[in-house]
Amino acid sequence: MTTKKDKPLLNRTLFDWVLRGKRLYQILLLVAILSIVFLRIVPLEIQKRLVNDVLASGDMSRLFMYCMVYLGAVLLASGLKFVINGLQTLIGEHATADMRREMYRHILSLPLAFFRKTQPGTVVTSLVNELATTGTFVGVAVAIPLVNILSLVAFAGYLIWLNPLLGLVTLSVYPFVLVVVPKVQ
């Protein structure tokens, strides 16, 4: 039985590279994503409370506190977005380096006849340029879909929590959008 390390380079999928990345970075990325999704809901709740608690009642004593919480959530979410981008880059760069090492080992195992037929520039280009895009994809393959899906679920949950009927009516548009928008594009 072959392990992922023993699996030939050419038989690996992109998902193999995504899943074999640095676990610590991926766990930190997951924590940052969960945090940023939560922090995106906080400003919505603060806006609701500003209108309902402060403006409707005329009680301005909580205005400063709500404004600070709002500002803190927005700044913290922005900082976490920076952290997420950094972690995506680290994961992608580590994947690119691993792919280049594997490709280099594969190239060294090729017969000498291959090098007589192939120009050296083609081999170098494969090692340098072509793997960079793949490594970048590996870095963002988990984060971007996870942020989008969790944000949708969090906003949907928040909408339904505020007003179940209005939330469900609002969300009923999404299946239509998912079908029509790709066709229009």
Side-chain angles (χ1 to χ4, degrees):
M1 181 173 170
T2 61
T3 63
K4 285 190 181 187
K5 279 279 194 202
D6 299 334
K7 199 177 203 182
L9 173 71
L10 301 175
N11 293 340
R12 287 199 188 139
T13 65
L14 277 176
F15 234 22
D16 287 336
W17 294 103
V18 170
L19 296 176
R20 72 179 245 183
K22 303 288 185 184
R23 298 281 184 235
L24 177 63
Y25 293 151
Q26 291 179 348
I27 290 169
L28 288 173
L29 183 64
L30 180 63
V31 169
I33 288 170
L34 291 172
S35 301
I36 202 169
V37 168
F38 171 75
L39 287 171
R40 286 181 175 170
I41 298 295
V42 171
L44 298 174
E45 179 65 21
I46 295 299
Q47 289 172 14
K48 181 187 89 157
R49 290 184 183 203
L50 278 170
V51 171
N52 293 344
D53 295 351
V54 176
L55 297 178
S57 68
D59 179 19
M60 295 295 170
S61 62
R62 292 189 226 153
L63 179 63
F64 182 74
M65 180 192 65
Y66 285 152
C67 289
M68 288 298 109
V69 170
Y70 183 92
L71 183 63
V74 169
L75 291 175
L76 200 54
S78 298
L80 280 174
K81 182 64 179 158
F82 180 75
V83 169
I84 288 171
N85 287 340
L87 287 170
Q88 287 174 338
T89 301
L90 278 172
I91 291 169
E93 290 301 318
H94 281 286
T96 302
D98 288 345
M99 283 187 236
R100 284 182 179 153
R101 272 191 288 279
E102 293 287 327
M103 180 74 100
Y104 184 69
R105 278 191 210 114
H106 175 72
I107 289 170
L108 290 178
S109 71
L110 293 173
L112 200 51
F114 171 79
F115 295 101
R116 289 188 184 121
K117 295 179 204 169
T118 308
Q119 294 185 359
T122 306
V123 176
V124 172
T125 300
S126 296
L127 276 172
V128 176
N129 296 333
E130 293 180 18
L131 291 178
T133 306
T134 308
T136 302
F137 171 78
V138 168
V140 301
V142 172
I144 289 177
L146 196 59
V147 166
N148 291 338
I149 290 169
L150 288 177
S151 293
L152 176 65
V153 168
F155 288 137
Y158 183 72
L159 282 173
I160 291 170
W161 178 71
L162 284 178
N163 188 333
L165 180 62
L166 186 59
L168 290 174
V169 168
T170 303
L171 293 173
S172 69
V173 175
Y174 275 97
F176 175 73
V177 170
L178 289 174
V179 171
V180 172
V181 170
K183 292 184 187 229
V184 172
Q185 289 177 338

